[in-house]
């Protein structure tokens, strides 16, 4: 005869063993399915490994969508997508995994410019072409990647400076002291570096432009707000905010309003932003953001065209720049906002 306690403990044991078995089988099943899908696609589709740097901004979401919309099965691709959550080490890991899976192409948006030599050499040794998206890498051997698809960030920074020149002239303020603060994006990223250089080039021609401070705010709204709060406490007389992306701008505007100041056309502080995502363009149309320097995240089509050319053995350029605009209240219409996908 079994005691009641024995029966219960045996039952628990059996149940536990059954769960364990299910987990092992389930796990094998899932890995098998994934591998099988990949292997069968591999033969007739172009396998692309994409290492996206994160999901820090509205711009990034649009950029990711653009890539995912183009590298589809219907278009003849098999996409392996990885989000690195702002960490270079995660990107390196993802690229190594693409190499070991022997993808046909690696596309990646480098979070910062430096530190890529080793992993890019590994890709080259494996014979896998690398295409840069959005940002650049700082390597001496430029043949470590085939081409780049992205924006001219220095030009974007200069556009911001040229707009400010014109606006101050229009307002008769071109001889007055103008106090400027700059919210910079991720330290060491191409978009941060380029936009900073471009704006400084124009600023260096104006001795009355007084850059009070420049600080990194990581391209996020939360950090933009936090850094702006500090700026406002230290400097009661800020005239212009240059914010290197729309997300930081949203946070900065909140901080400015909390401090009891007004923004935009006719306000206390002029707002210059970058990206021109639709939420920001609404604010341009409402006169809250004075100018938005567009950065075009629709890079998927360009990337697939480049891959097509490479597949056909055609020569590709070193760099492809996407088309971009400058938006103010004068050229932003509701129709335009509705037409755009970001
Ligand atoms: O401006 C910002 C994003 O590198 C162009 O990164 C990109 C920038 C973009 O986080 O919103």
């Amino acid at each position: 005869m079994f005691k009641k306690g024995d029966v219960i403990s045996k039952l628990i044991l059996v149940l536990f063993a059954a769960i364990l078995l299910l987990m092992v089988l389930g796990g094998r099943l899932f890995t098998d399915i994934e591998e099988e899908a990949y292997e069968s696609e591999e033969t007739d589709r172009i396998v692309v490994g994409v290492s996206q740097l994160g999901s820090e901004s509205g711009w990034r979401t649009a950029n990711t969508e653009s890539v995912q919309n183009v590298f589809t099965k219907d278009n003849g691709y098999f996409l392996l997508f990885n989000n690195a959550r702002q960490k270079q080490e995660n990107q390196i890991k993802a690229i190594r995994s693409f190499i070991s899976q022997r993808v046909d192409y690696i596309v990646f948006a480098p979070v910062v410019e430096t530190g890529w030599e080793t992993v890019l050499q590994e890709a080259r040794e494996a014979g896998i072409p690398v295409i840069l998206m959005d940002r650049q890498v700082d390597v001496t051997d430029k043949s470590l990647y085939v081409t780049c698809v992205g924006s001219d960030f220095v030009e974007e920074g200069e556009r911001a400076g040229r707009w400010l020149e014109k606006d101050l002239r229009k307002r008769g303020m071109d001889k007055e002291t103008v106090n400027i603060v700059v919210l910079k994006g991720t330290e060491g990223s191409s978009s941060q570096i380029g936009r900073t250089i471009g704006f400084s080039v124009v600023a260096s021609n104006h001795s009355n432009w007084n850059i009070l401070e420049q600080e990194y705010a990581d391209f996020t709204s939360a950090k933009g707000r936090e850094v702006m709060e500090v700026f406002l406490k230290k400097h009661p007389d800020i005239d212009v905010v240059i914010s290197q992306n729309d997300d930081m701008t949203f946070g900065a505007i909140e901080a400015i309003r909390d401090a009891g100041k007004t923004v935009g056309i006719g306000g206390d502080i002029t707002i210059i932003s970058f990206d021109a995502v639709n939420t920001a363009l609404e604010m341009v149309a409402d006169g809250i953001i004075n100018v938005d320097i567009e950065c075009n995240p629709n890079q998927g089509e360009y990337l697939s065209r480049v891959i097509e050319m490479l597949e056909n053995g055609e020569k590709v350029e070193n760099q492809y720049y996407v088309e971009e605009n400058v938006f103010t209240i004068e050229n932003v219409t509701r129709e335009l906002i509705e037409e755009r996908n970001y």
Side-chain angles (χ1 to χ4, degrees):
M1 282 300 269
F2 295 113
K3 283 195 203 119
K4 205 173 159 195
D6 277 356
V7 174
I8 290 175
S9 58
K10 278 210 176 113
L11 262 175
I12 290 175
L13 213 74
V14 169
L15 207 71
F16 184 68
I19 290 173
L20 210 72
L21 193 72
L22 270 174
M23 277 169 71
V24 172
L25 280 178
R28 283 206 43 194
L29 221 68
F30 283 129
T31 34
D32 284 350
I33 287 167
E34 266 174 29
E35 275 164 17
E36 204 185 70
Y38 173 58
E39 274 161 23
S40 68
E41 303 296 341
E42 198 179 10
T43 49
D44 54 349
R45 291 185 204 278
I46 301 169
V47 183
V48 184
V50 175
S51 165
Q52 178 58 288
L53 62 87
S55 45
E56 72 287 357
S57 63
W59 188 96
R60 188 66 52 199
T61 308
N63 181 241
T64 293
E65 274 170 17
S66 151
V67 165
Q68 288 175 336
N69 288 342
V70 87
F71 293 130
T72 60
K73 292 192 176 170
D74 285 349
N75 289 344
Y77 291 100
F78 188 84
L79 169 66
L80 297 171
F81 183 88
N82 183 273
N83 176 348
R85 301 182 196 292
Q86 297 295 322
K87 291 217 167 69
Q88 181 169 35
E89 64 200 77
N90 290 347
Q91 288 204 283
I92 292 176
K93 245 189 250 162
I95 293 170
R96 291 207 165 117
S97 130
F98 296 153
I99 294 172
S100 71
Q101 294 181 77
R102 297 201 301 277
V103 300
D104 297 315
Y105 295 91
I106 291 173
V107 170
F108 94 111
V111 62
V112 290
E113 291 195 344
T114 54
W116 300 104
E117 252 103 358
T118 312
V119 76
L120 291 183
Q121 250 144 22
E122 288 167 22
R124 179 156 66 192
E125 272 154 33
I128 303 172
V130 173
I131 302 164
L132 303 181
M133 160 174 89
D134 165 22
R135 302 179 184 175
Q136 311 270 342
V137 294
D138 181 8
V139 289
T140 26
D141 181 357
K142 303 282 181 223
S143 73
L144 284 172
Y145 54 87
V146 184
T147 185
C148 317
V149 169
S151 310
D152 186 341
F153 297 122
V154 176
E155 170 62 23
E156 288 179 359
E158 285 185 14
R159 285 179 178 180
R162 290 199 294 266
W163 179 85
L164 185 60
E165 273 178 345
K166 240 176 48 195
D167 185 66
L168 291 173
R169 215 178 304 131
K170 244 184 5 204
R171 290 197 276 153
M173 287 172 65
D174 49 338
K175 300 278 179 299
E176 285 176 29
T177 301
V178 179
N179 289 326
I180 302 169
V181 290
V182 185
L183 292 168
K184 296 198 288 186
T186 306
E187 183 171 9
S189 66
S190 304
S191 24
Q192 174 265 307
I193 296 171
R195 288 168 187 168
T196 307
I197 293 175
F199 183 75
S200 311
V201 167
V202 182
S204 67
N205 298 326
H206 301 279
S207 54
N208 59 319
W209 291 17
N210 181 23
I211 301 185
L212 295 167
E213 232 175 310
Q214 313 200 41
E215 198 53 67
Y216 299 107
D218 302 346
F219 284 130
T220 69
S221 173
K223 199 73 199 207
R225 184 190 172 110
E226 197 183 302
V227 174
M228 192 66 217
E229 277 168 4
V230 177
F231 283 167
L232 286 159
K233 277 192 194 120
K234 291 211 280 196
H235 312 284
D237 48 357
I238 298 168
D239 299 307
V240 179
V241 174
I242 316 280
S243 166
Q244 289 179 351
N245 89 337
D246 285 336
D247 291 76
M248 293 190 295
T249 304
F250 301 149
I253 290 174
E254 278 173 24
I256 295 169
R257 286 176 167 163
D258 285 355
K261 299 203 174 209
T262 55
V263 291
I265 299 173
D268 302 321
I269 300 180
T270 296
I271 306 287
I272 299 180
S273 192
F274 291 82
D275 280 358
V277 296
N278 272 348
T279 336
L281 285 192
E282 308 256 359
M283 294 164 95
V284 173
D286 291 339
I288 297 166
I289 293 174
N290 298 66
V291 63
D292 212 324
I293 315 298
E294 186 183 30
C295 182
N296 184 354
N298 288 332
Q299 298 172 356
E301 290 290 343
Y302 289 78
L303 290 164
S304 88
R305 245 181 282 147
V306 165
I307 290 180
E308 229 172 80
M309 288 166 78
L310 292 170
E311 287 288 301
N312 296 334
E314 291 166 37
K315 211 178 132 9
V316 297
E317 310 277 325
N318 299 330
Q319 171 78 52
Y320 292 92
Y321 286 128
V322 288
E323 268 178 50
E324 305 183 325
N325 214 325
V326 172
F327 291 114
T328 63
I329 199 161
E330 275 121 45
N331 62 351
V332 174
T333 58
R334 298 283 159 198
E335 295 78 52
L336 174 100
I337 296 174
E338 269 157 38
E339 269 168 25
R340 298 165 92 244
N341 68 332
Y342 59 95

